[in-house]
Amino acid sequence: MVFITEEMIKQFQTLMEKVDEPLKKTFQNIHNGYQRENLARFLKARDGDISNAHKMLVECLNWRIQNEIDDILTKPISPTDLYRAIRDSQLTGMSGYSKELSFLFTAGLPVIAVGVGRSTYDKASIHYYVQSHIQMNEYRDRVILPSATQKFGRYIGTCIKILDMTGLRISALNQLKLLSVISTIDDLNYPEKTETYYIVNAPYIFSACWKVVRPLLQERTRKKVQVLSGSGRDELLKIMDYESLPHFCRKEGSGSSRHSRDGTVSDCFSLDHPFHQQLYNYVKEKAAVVGAAAPIRHGSFHVDFPEPGPEDVKIAQTIESEFQRLGKKNGVSHSFHELKINGD
């Protein structure tokens, strides 16, 4: 892993001082006053290559301007029933924060939960799901992380993710295109925002795919991924309190229970969970301010989908091939040949 030096960051800053004002303005919305730390993110993503990191950041800033990403938190997904349907089929949420673990782990990292196995992405168009994903990214970066930084008295710019593989089936291949789009958006425009990925409740199908995909990942990504036994409850309790465990990692909360002992919603995927309620209300309030000057246009917020890099394409093709093999082995027939990774 490349060590990012102060000299690298200074050279990167010099290059960024030469970009046009619109790019500087949107970069301010990214770094929130922590320019050095955010330049370091892009340097890490390009293994310390200053020229490539600069190219990556400039392309990211242009993407933000062209797609009005700075305004995406003023674009609500309406009506509420549609947004609830998206939440029920794109299982993502925030369950709490990490705790201090000696010098090995810092407190205050947001715990993001993702229901990989049970997400169906079948209640709306791809554009709504991409919009929802980017809104959660932006809310994390503009609200959650700055709040954690202030609360814990030190810069916090990353999160940890717990990926629940419960329910993962061969039919998940149908969502591969959408997942590739979301993954590419994150890789190119939100690099190095995740400290560690914890995989829990992994069925055989995941284990089989992981064996062939793991060698294709970059070293820095491989080191971030930890596959835990079962729900991962005991291991995760070393780095977070019980209250911060996602519901699918809690012994009494895994499966059907959506409510904790005190009657509040513990299912962090639900629109009724405090995190989603706060995000939903935040976007509505921002939209109301903008709407005072101009009518709000309903409908999905279309974002240009970046082309995945060669490595991402290879990973997607490898997953497709492994799913095909497993499908044939288990007598499952799907029209895999009709799936297109890029484009409609």
Side-chain angles (χ1 to χ4, degrees):
M1 186 175 291
V2 175
F3 180 73
I4 305 302
T5 66
E6 288 297 327
E7 182 58 31
M8 291 178 182
I9 294 174
K10 287 180 180 178
Q11 291 182 36
F12 199 173
Q13 285 177 325
T14 300
L15 289 174
M16 291 306 297
E17 288 170 0
K18 299 176 182 178
V19 302
D20 295 337
E21 283 302 319
L23 298 185
K24 288 180 180 178
K25 182 177 180 181
T26 196
F27 183 44
Q28 288 176 353
N29 289 329
I30 290 180
H31 66 63
N32 283 315
Y34 292 91
Q35 185 183 98
R36 177 193 171 281
E37 289 82 358
N38 281 272
L39 290 175
R41 285 198 297 115
F42 283 84
L43 282 168
K44 287 179 183 178
R46 289 296 177 261
D47 297 318
D49 188 310
I50 299 170
S51 178
N52 284 343
H54 177 253
K55 181 176 181 291
M56 180 188 191
L57 179 51
V58 168
E59 289 177 349
C60 166
L61 299 178
N62 279 315
W63 174 80
R64 292 182 68 87
I65 292 172
Q66 291 163 8
N67 293 281
E68 301 178 353
I69 301 301
D70 289 344
D71 297 325
I72 199 168
L73 290 178
T74 67
K75 312 290 184 181
I77 296 176
S78 298
T80 304
D81 287 346
L82 173 60
Y83 190 62
R84 184 177 291 278
I86 290 172
R87 291 279 59 79
D88 289 342
S89 55
Q90 182 185 35
L91 303 181
T92 307
M94 177 180 159
S95 60
Y97 296 88
S98 66
K99 66 181 180 181
E100 195 78 42
L101 181 63
S102 181
F103 61 89
L104 298 175
F105 218 90
T106 58
L109 302 185
V111 178
I112 306 297
V114 184
V116 177
R118 290 177 173 167
S119 292
T120 56
Y121 300 100
D122 60 351
K123 304 300 183 183
S125 73
I126 185 174
H127 297 285
Y128 278 116
Y129 287 113
V130 170
Q131 176 184 355
S132 171
H133 179 78
I134 295 175
Q135 284 182 333
M136 281 189 280
N137 279 356
E138 292 292 311
Y139 186 73
R140 174 198 64 197
D141 293 351
R142 298 193 218 176
V143 178
I144 298 296
L145 291 174
S147 176
T149 296
Q150 184 176 20
K151 178 180 178 180
F152 292 93
R154 63 177 177 277
Y155 175 71
I156 295 176
T158 58
C159 63
I160 62 177
K161 288 188 177 180
I162 304 177
L163 311 183
D164 180 25
M165 296 295 168
T166 300
L168 186 66
R169 294 181 175 85
I170 292 175
S171 58
L173 187 60
N174 296 328
Q175 288 92 49
L176 190 55
K177 179 204 166 193
L178 173 56
L179 295 176
S180 296
V181 168
I182 288 175
S183 175
T184 302
I185 287 174
D186 284 353
D187 289 346
L188 297 179
N189 302 291
Y190 302 93
E192 299 297 317
K193 297 297 294 188
T194 302
E195 198 76 23
T196 310
Y197 296 89
Y198 293 100
I199 310 294
V200 301
N201 299 320
Y204 169 75
I205 189 173
F206 169 80
S207 301
C209 286
W210 180 239
K211 288 179 181 178
V212 296
V213 169
R214 187 177 185 277
L216 303 179
L217 299 176
Q218 295 182 10
E219 182 183 4
R220 69 173 183 278
T221 302
R222 284 201 306 270
K223 289 182 176 180
K224 289 183 178 183
V225 179
Q226 294 190 31
V227 182
L228 304 183
S229 175
S231 69
R233 182 178 184 273
D234 293 340
E235 286 299 312
L236 292 171
L237 283 175
K238 295 176 182 178
I239 61 170
M240 68 187 69
D241 294 326
Y242 180 84
E243 290 72 20
S244 290
L245 277 178
H247 59 282
F248 51 80
C249 295
R250 301 182 181 188
K251 184 177 181 180
E252 68 270 31
S254 56
S256 60
S257 178
R258 293 181 56 202
H259 299 271
S260 60
R261 297 190 190 101
D262 62 3
T264 60
V265 176
S266 64
D267 181 347
C268 61
F269 298 148
S270 170
L271 177 57
D272 299 318
H273 187 273
F275 167 75
H276 282 298
Q277 282 295 299
Q278 290 161 13
L279 168 57
Y280 187 69
N281 290 331
Y282 182 90
V283 174
K284 284 202 302 183
E285 290 169 6
K286 292 290 184 181
V289 173
V290 174
I296 299 174
R297 182 177 62 85
H298 294 291
S300 61
F301 185 81
H302 287 218
V303 173
D304 292 336
F305 301 153
E307 289 294 322
E311 291 180 354
D312 291 334
V313 171
K314 186 175 182 180
I315 290 172
Q317 291 173 340
T318 300
I319 293 174
E320 180 183 357
S321 176
E322 187 64 15
F323 270 48
Q324 283 181 331
R325 186 186 70 80
L326 292 171
K328 291 176 181 178
K329 180 179 178 181
N330 292 282
V332 179
S333 177
H334 291 279
S335 299
F336 291 127
H337 62 281
E338 296 179 357
L339 179 72
K340 293 183 180 179
I341 304 302
N342 301 315
D344 291 321

